[in-house]
Amino acid sequence: MRSIQFILTGVVFLMALSGCSSSRGWYHLPPAEFDEIDYGYEVERAQVRNIGVGYIDEGEGDDVILLIHGLGSNAKGWQRNIPELSREHRVIAVDLPGYGMSDKGFYKYSLSFYAQVLTELLDELDITDAVWMGHSMGGQIAMVAALDHPARVSKLVLVSPAGFEAFTNGEGAWMRRVLSPEFVQDTTIRNIAVNLKSNFHDAPPEADFMITDRIQVRGASDFDRYCYAVAENVEAMLDEPVLDRLGEIAQPTLVLFGKNDNLIPNRFLHGGHTADVAVSGAEQIPGAELVLVEKCGHFVQFEKPEETNAEVLRFCLGN
C-alpha cells in the first residue's frame, strides 16, 4: 500500500507497554451517549445527505477555517485552538459522520465521501470556500478535497497529516486485518489510556478528557456504529492514497509536525524519523511551508496550541 497513517497505527504493540498509570476513577465512570459529552461549546446540526452533522460555529466574517479531526476523535479536540482562531476568522469545527455529535450509520465510508459531505456542509452554511485545516486523517481528507473540489479550498493547513508515509501492500493488509470493529469495541480502559497518551510527547492534564470521554461512550447506544466507522476509515485511508498526487495540490499549504511524533512514521512496521517523512511530503506540495514543532507529539494543535495558533494565523492572514 502506498500511503496511510492513522492514530492507532501502533495500537497492538502499545497494548503491551506499561508507561501509562491509569486512575482507579476511570473504572467507575458512568456510561454516556455521544450527545451527552460536554464540548464546552454549543454544537449545532445540519442535514447533509440525510445525515445529521454536528459542528461548532464560532467567530464571524467571510474568512472561514474548517477544522477536521482525525481518526477516533471529534471536534472537541480543537478546544485549545477555537478561541484564538475565532478572533480573526469564522471557525467551523466539524464532527465527521460516525463521530461525536454526528449521525452514525453503516455508511459507505471513503475520504471522497467525507470531502463531499464537508463541501455540502459549507453549502448549507452559505460558505463559498474555506481554509481546510485537518489533523491526521483529517489532513488526508483535506488533501482529497483540495484535489477533488479545488474551488472550495482556499488554503490547506495539514497538522500531522496522514498520507505522507509510504506503506507496502503487506503492511496495509495487516492494518486492515487488525483494525476491525470488534478490536476497537473491545479496547480495555487501560489500553484506551495508553493509546491516547501515545499521541503526545508530554500529555498535558487538559487532555484527560480524551480518555474519560472515550471510556464513557463505550456505553452509548450507537457505540457499535462508532467502532464500525473507525475500522472503515482505516480502509478508506488505504483505498485513497494521496502520496502520488501531492504535486497536484495547487492551494497554499502549511504543514505542521511535532518532532517527537510517536505515530508518524510507524515505528513498529518500518521505523524512520518524523522529520524525514514531513520534509519528503511537504517538498512534493508546490510551495508548501513546513514547521517542525519542538518537544511535541502527534496531537500538535492540542499539545502546543500557542505555536499552532500563531503559525496558522500568520499563514491565514498572510503576514
Side-chain angles (χ1 to χ4, degrees):
M1 193 66 233
R2 290 174 295 174
S3 69
I4 182 181
Q5 189 284 326
F6 56 90
I7 279 179
L8 300 175
T9 45
V11 119
V12 167
F13 301 92
L14 286 167
M15 286 167 57
L17 302 180
S18 58
C20 170
S21 59
S22 62
S23 166
R24 290 182 180 179
W26 293 341
Y27 292 87
H28 303 288
L29 289 168
E33 298 292 338
F34 282 92
D35 61 7
E36 294 175 336
I37 298 299
D38 182 11
Y39 278 31
Y41 291 94
E42 179 184 356
V43 178
E44 303 183 42
R45 282 174 64 85
Q47 286 294 315
V48 180
R49 297 188 162 202
N50 294 318
I51 299 170
V53 177
Y55 63 94
I56 297 166
D57 189 347
E58 293 289 317
E60 298 179 352
D62 295 330
D63 296 326
V64 179
I65 301 176
L66 177 65
L67 303 179
I68 312 161
H69 64 78
L71 186 76
S73 188
N74 55 53
K76 190 174 177 179
W78 299 101
Q79 64 176 231
R80 305 186 90 184
N81 314 106
I82 294 171
E84 188 66 24
L85 298 183
S86 63
R87 293 178 188 274
E88 302 282 349
H89 300 79
R90 182 180 178 186
V91 174
I92 309 293
V94 67
D95 277 343
L96 295 168
Y99 296 92
M101 306 288 186
S102 290
D103 287 351
K104 298 162 194 66
F106 298 105
Y107 310 123
K108 189 174 182 180
Y109 287 108
S110 68
L111 302 188
S112 296
F113 163 79
Y114 278 135
Q116 185 64 42
V117 166
L118 294 176
T119 298
E120 293 182 26
L121 174 64
L122 295 182
D123 290 338
E124 289 291 322
L125 301 178
D126 198 26
I127 296 170
T128 302
D129 59 54
V131 176
W132 288 49
M133 180 171 173
H135 174 237
S136 198
M137 180 184 76
Q140 192 170 346
I141 292 169
M143 286 186 275
V144 169
L147 292 164
D148 293 351
H149 310 279
R152 311 307 299 275
V153 183
S154 60
K155 294 183 178 183
L156 278 177
V157 178
L158 307 175
V159 185
S160 311
F164 280 14
E165 183 178 3
F167 282 75
T168 67
N169 287 332
E171 290 167 345
W174 180 86
M175 293 175 188
R176 293 177 193 268
R177 186 169 60 251
V178 170
L179 264 296
S180 66
E182 294 76 20
F183 179 87
V184 179
Q185 194 159 8
D186 292 341
T187 305
T188 66
I189 288 176
R190 179 172 180 77
N191 291 334
I192 287 169
V194 173
N195 297 340
L196 288 172
K197 284 183 178 290
S198 71
N199 284 278
F200 299 95
H201 171 62
D202 184 15
E206 294 86 351
D208 281 354
F209 76 85
M210 299 182 188
I211 299 171
T212 56
D213 287 359
R214 173 63 174 79
I215 291 169
Q216 288 191 275
V217 298
R218 294 193 311 163
S221 57
D222 50 0
F223 182 64
D224 60 330
R225 280 165 280 175
Y226 161 83
C227 297
Y228 174 82
V230 171
E232 288 294 302
N233 287 177
V234 173
E235 297 267 358
M237 286 187 281
L238 288 165
D239 290 340
E240 289 188 76
V242 295
L243 187 59
D244 292 346
R245 300 187 66 195
L246 296 180
E248 301 172 35
I249 293 175
Q251 293 85 351
T253 302
L254 172 66
V255 181
L256 296 166
F257 266 96
K259 282 191 174 181
N260 309 98
D261 194 316
N262 290 317
L263 301 180
I264 302 177
N266 189 304
R267 277 116 172 107
F268 302 103
L269 291 179
H270 47 243
H273 301 284
T274 300
D276 293 338
V277 173
V279 170
S280 176
E283 284 182 344
Q284 295 181 62
I285 301 174
E289 281 188 66
L290 171 64
V291 176
L292 293 170
V293 182
E294 300 281 349
K295 298 181 179 178
C296 183
H298 185 67
F299 223 121
V300 179
Q301 75 271 27
F302 200 93
E303 188 166 5
K304 297 289 184 177
E306 294 84 4
E307 291 92 328
T308 299
N309 296 337
E311 291 291 348
V312 172
L313 289 174
R314 175 193 60 78
F315 175 73
C316 290
L317 296 172
N319 51 36

